[in-house]
Every structure is written in C-alpha cells, then in structure tokens.
Amino acid sequence: MQKCQEINFYRKGQITLTGDILQDGTLQRVWDSTIASAGIAKKREQVMIFNSKHRWRKRGIGITASKYGLGGNWFKEIARVSVFAFDGSVEINHSGVEMGQGIDTKVAQVASMALCVPLSHILTGEKSSNSQPNCMATLASATSEICCAAMLDACNIINERLAPYKADVIKKSKDNETQLSDYDVFIKAVRAADQDRVCLSSEGWAAPKVEGSSQYFAFCSAAAEVELDILTGCVEIRSVDIAYDCGHQVGEF
C-alpha cells in the first residue's frame, strides 16, 4: 500500500485535476521525513509480533499524505500599520477574523519580521468592516496567508519611508564605533522621520490573481499507530508523527 501511494504522488511540473501546474513538489520529502521519524519499518514488525500474541487486542499502523491548495481569485484582504514615534511600538490591524486559529499571531509575526520589531511591542487592534471594507470572509485556511501578504505590503511601505533615516543612523553608529540592534536602529529612524513630518502609518492590500484554482499548495504527511480492543471497541492512539512543509518560518522561536 505504501509503495502504491508513492507511485501516485504528484510531482513538480505535473498538472492537477483543477488545471494547476505544480511549481513546487515537496510531498516526497515530507513523506520520507514522516517514515523516518515514525520508524515505520520497525513499528510494522512490532505490530505483527503483537497481533500474533494477542487475540482480543490488535494494533495497526498507517501513513497518508496530503496536498492542499491555498488562495484563489476571490481573496482580497487589507492590513494597516501604525508606528508610534514615542517608544517605537506598533499597532496593526487586518481584515481577517480571529476565531482561535491564530491569525492575529501570524500577522503580528510577519510585522515583527518585516519591521525588525519585537513581537512584544506589537499590538493587534480591534477589527471592523467599517475600516476594512470589501474584503473576503475568513475561510478555507487561506485568509491568514492573504492577510500576511497585505501586512507585508504595509510594512514595506513603512520601510521605504524609513530607509534613508535607517541608513543615516547606521552610518552615525559606525562613525561612533557603536553597535545598535535592529530595533534600536528602527526606533532612532522612526523618531527622525517623525521630526521630518513623515507619515508613519500605512495600508497594505493583497488580492492575488491566480491562474487555476490555487495560489500555491501545502504538502504534509502523517503516520499513526493505534490499538483496538476488539471486545469493547475501545481505541488507543499510541503514536502520531506529522511532517509539514511550512515554507519560510516567521516570528520569534
């Protein structure tokens, strides 16, 4: 069964049922990673031995893979950034709905990475369709991706405005033979820009145009070992191993 699954994997460059051409193909890599971390071959031997010795309790092990398409032509999201010159803190906002899936944290991590500001100095403000109109509903595991893209767009605008001030701060620190952290450079640049009456708030917009059904695909695989009590139907999950290609990791870890 495992060999049959591998033979039928999508490969890079192949066309999916929805007409998408796979630009990336990491399914085999995450599959191999799961097999290695789960120790599939050894566990299969152990399962066979256990099942031969127990009449009323049986074990089984399985592995599966997944390809999930994210994004589409119907997505459009807004993100806003406001930088406060007094202490360099940042307030962000976006058009997604936080419902426990962690979208606020993910968008804040993107802002932290893009602006070189510690996550603890970033506040996510209240959301309203009054200030973020005409956006898509939060669904399909893709809204966080589009909101992150909008946030990156907004942060890039701020970075462009701060670029000459950052260059000046870095030059002065080199002249004085002092070392500054990225956040120290950010704060000094923000205060200098504010004194020059530069706008320190921006709005980002993300509305990708996709040829096909998805903007890109996420690949993952999982293996699980379970034990079944045949008499009672009770099931125990003995182990689970998951590998997921999450792309470029953001935030402080």
Side-chain angles (χ1 to χ4, degrees):
M1 180 62 182
Q2 181 179 323
K3 194 64 179 177
C4 181
Q5 287 173 290
E6 289 189 50
I7 292 173
N8 286 279
F9 281 169
Y10 273 117
R11 310 291 176 184
K12 183 178 180 179
Q14 290 185 329
I15 301 175
T16 70
L17 293 174
T18 54
D20 297 278
I21 300 175
L22 287 180
Q23 302 298 326
D24 298 292
T26 58
L27 187 55
Q28 186 68 55
R29 189 170 67 186
V30 296
W31 177 266
D32 293 341
S33 176
T34 303
I35 290 174
S37 65
I40 293 293
K42 184 177 180 180
K43 283 185 177 179
R44 280 208 174 106
E45 293 179 3
Q46 294 173 343
V47 163
M48 292 178 66
I49 294 173
F50 180 89
N51 290 343
S52 67
K53 295 181 177 180
H54 297 80
R55 182 178 181 182
W56 303 114
R57 296 186 73 87
K58 299 296 179 182
R59 291 178 182 175
I61 186 168
I63 181 172
T64 190
S66 174
K67 172 185 69 67
Y68 187 78
L70 291 112
N73 287 320
W74 56 90
F75 281 97
K76 46 182 182 175
E77 305 293 347
I78 293 174
R80 288 192 173 93
V81 176
S82 298
V83 181
F84 297 90
F86 178 75
D87 61 354
S89 60
V90 177
E91 181 177 273
I92 64 172
N93 222 313
H94 60 86
S95 50
V97 177
E98 173 62 61
M99 57 184 86
Q101 84 280 36
I103 187 172
D104 283 356
T105 300
K106 192 168 186 179
V107 175
Q109 287 175 330
V110 169
S112 173
M113 178 194 68
L115 297 175
C116 297
V117 174
L119 193 59
S120 58
H121 288 59
I122 296 177
L123 170 69
T124 301
E126 294 183 1
K127 308 178 192 71
S128 171
S129 56
N130 292 334
S131 56
Q132 293 107 14
N134 308 316
C135 295
M136 185 61 185
T138 300
L139 48 77
S141 298
T143 305
S144 61
E145 306 300 306
I146 310 302
C147 284
C148 284
M151 178 55 63
L152 189 59
D153 184 44
C155 291
N156 286 339
I157 294 172
I158 295 294
N159 283 333
E160 287 178 9
R161 295 172 184 169
L162 293 178
Y165 299 96
K166 284 186 175 182
D168 185 56
V169 170
I170 293 172
K171 182 179 181 302
K172 289 180 179 178
S173 68
K174 288 182 178 179
D175 292 341
N176 297 328
E177 297 183 351
T178 58
Q179 290 186 342
L180 297 175
S181 67
D182 290 339
Y183 184 50
D184 289 332
V185 172
F186 175 80
I187 292 177
K188 290 180 179 294
V190 164
R191 290 173 178 168
D194 181 58
Q195 289 178 357
D196 278 352
R197 304 167 70 86
V198 174
C199 178
L200 295 175
S201 63
S202 65
E203 179 178 286
W205 174 253
K209 293 183 179 180
V210 178
E211 294 183 4
S213 67
S214 303
Q215 188 176 10
Y216 70 95
F217 293 90
F219 298 96
C220 65
S221 64
E225 181 186 358
V226 299
E227 183 175 318
L228 169 66
D229 187 320
I230 297 176
L231 297 178
T232 64
C234 180
V235 177
E236 176 189 353
I237 300 175
R238 292 178 50 80
S239 66
V240 175
D241 290 83
I242 300 172
Y244 170 59
D245 179 8
C246 62
H248 178 67
Q249 183 171 283
V250 298
E252 300 170 336
F253 296 98

